[in-house]
Amino acid sequence: MLIKSAKFVISNSDIKGCPAPKLPEVAFIGRSNVGKSSLINMLVNHKGLAKTSAKPGKTQLINHFVVNDSWYLVDLPGYGYAQTSKTLRAGFSQIITNYISKRTSLLNLFVLIDCRLEPQSIDLQFLRWLGQNGVPFSLVFTKCDKLGKNKLAENIDSYKKTLLEEWSELPPSFLTSAASAMGRDELLQYIDSICKQK
Ligand code: GTP
Ligand code: MG
């Protein structure tokens, strides 16, 4: 898919203020600082469109962007940052859970995972919640530029093995880097295919 335009539309703390659900939509989520906003900027080739920061907790709202005037891309707040976020309820704010469970035009949620880390319980818990709620999702491993080829392959393999301990099937997954644009074509092609199925 060729990116012709990418524009910020609106930020919301509540699904009620989101644009009318008239276009196909995909959203990006994951732990704070995993690289959601950076990945979005890399995808649409527009540095600074989604605000990034080295400090976790930068994105606090549901941010809608419209791409090629034909689909919405959504940057969501990270989870798992607050010190108190030990429990599911506290870890995944209502903003996130409401948006995901109620947004009728959401076709796919991309769950971002830092490729350098061992499977984190908060991510596994979140995936479980998606499964229980029937939300279609894919995995996007981020910051792949930070690992050598062998270590990267080893980590991804081990992540998938962990998932297979509780899932009978693996979701689609992508290896990406906002720094090197690795995975950009694959992700855009995938988004194109899900928007067309709609
Ligand atoms: P919150 O909005 O706080 O939840 O964070 P986020 O997930 O949107 O992360 P963000 O894109 O702001 O990036 C966090 C930090 O990671 C920034 O310092 C980025 O420069 C860095 N970063 C993000 N993606 C990559 C990547 O692919 N490679 C490298 N090397 N650094 C990255
Ligand atoms: Mg962000």
Side-chain angles (χ1 to χ4, degrees), residues 3 12 14 46 54 67 78 90 96 98-99 109 111 126 150-151 159-161 163 167 172 183 192:
I3 303 296
N12 281 288
D14 192 288
H46 191 321
V67 185
I96 296 177
N98 267 339
Y99 166 80
L109 188 65
V111 181
F126 183 69
N150 292 344
K151 181 66 182 157
Y159 206 97
K160 288 181 176 170
K161 282 202 181 109
L163 285 181
W167 292 81
D192 198 29

Side-chain angles (χ1 to χ4, degrees), residues 1-7 26-29 35-50 52 65-68 71-75 108-112 140-142 174-192 194:
M1 183 193 333
L2 217 60
I3 303 296
K4 293 179 213 132
S5 65
K7 291 170 272 191
V26 297
F28 293 79
I29 196 156
K36 299 173 292 296
S37 303
S38 304
L39 182 82
I40 288 171
N41 291 338
M42 180 274 268
L43 278 182
V44 299
N45 214 351
H46 191 321
K47 268 204 185 109
L49 184 67
T52 64
F65 302 92
V66 65
V67 185
N68 293 349
W71 54 280
Y72 286 124
L73 187 161
V74 177
D75 190 12
N108 187 67
L109 188 65
F110 290 101
V111 181
L112 276 58
V140 176
F141 293 96
T142 62
F174 301 88
L175 300 185
T176 69
S177 161
S180 74
M182 173 182 181
R184 181 174 187 268
D185 293 346
E186 291 83 356
L187 262 181
L188 286 176
Q189 198 182 4
Y190 183 67
I191 293 171
D192 198 29
I194 41 188

Side-chain angles (χ1 to χ4, degrees), residues 130-145:
L130 294 178
Q132 283 158 3
N133 287 276
V135 180
F137 68 91
S138 323
L139 295 183
V140 176
F141 293 96
T142 62
K143 310 195 185 183
C144 292
D145 57 288

Side-chain angles (χ1 to χ4, degrees), residues 106-168:
L106 179 66
L107 298 182
N108 187 67
L109 188 65
F110 290 101
V111 181
L112 276 58
I113 305 284
D114 188 325
C115 73
R116 298 169 297 177
L117 306 181
E118 308 241 302
Q120 304 286 300
S121 69
I122 192 152
D123 291 323
L124 298 174
Q125 236 181 321
F126 183 69
L127 297 180
R128 216 168 282 145
W129 182 83
L130 294 178
Q132 283 158 3
N133 287 276
V135 180
F137 68 91
S138 323
L139 295 183
V140 176
F141 293 96
T142 62
K143 310 195 185 183
C144 292
D145 57 288
K146 297 241 190 190
L147 289 182
K149 209 171 141 210
N150 292 344
K151 181 66 182 157
L152 177 63
E154 193 183 301
N155 282 12
I156 305 305
D157 203 43
S158 143
Y159 206 97
K160 288 181 176 170
K161 282 202 181 109
T162 302
L163 285 181
L164 286 171
E165 286 168 17
E166 63 177 295
W167 292 81
S168 54

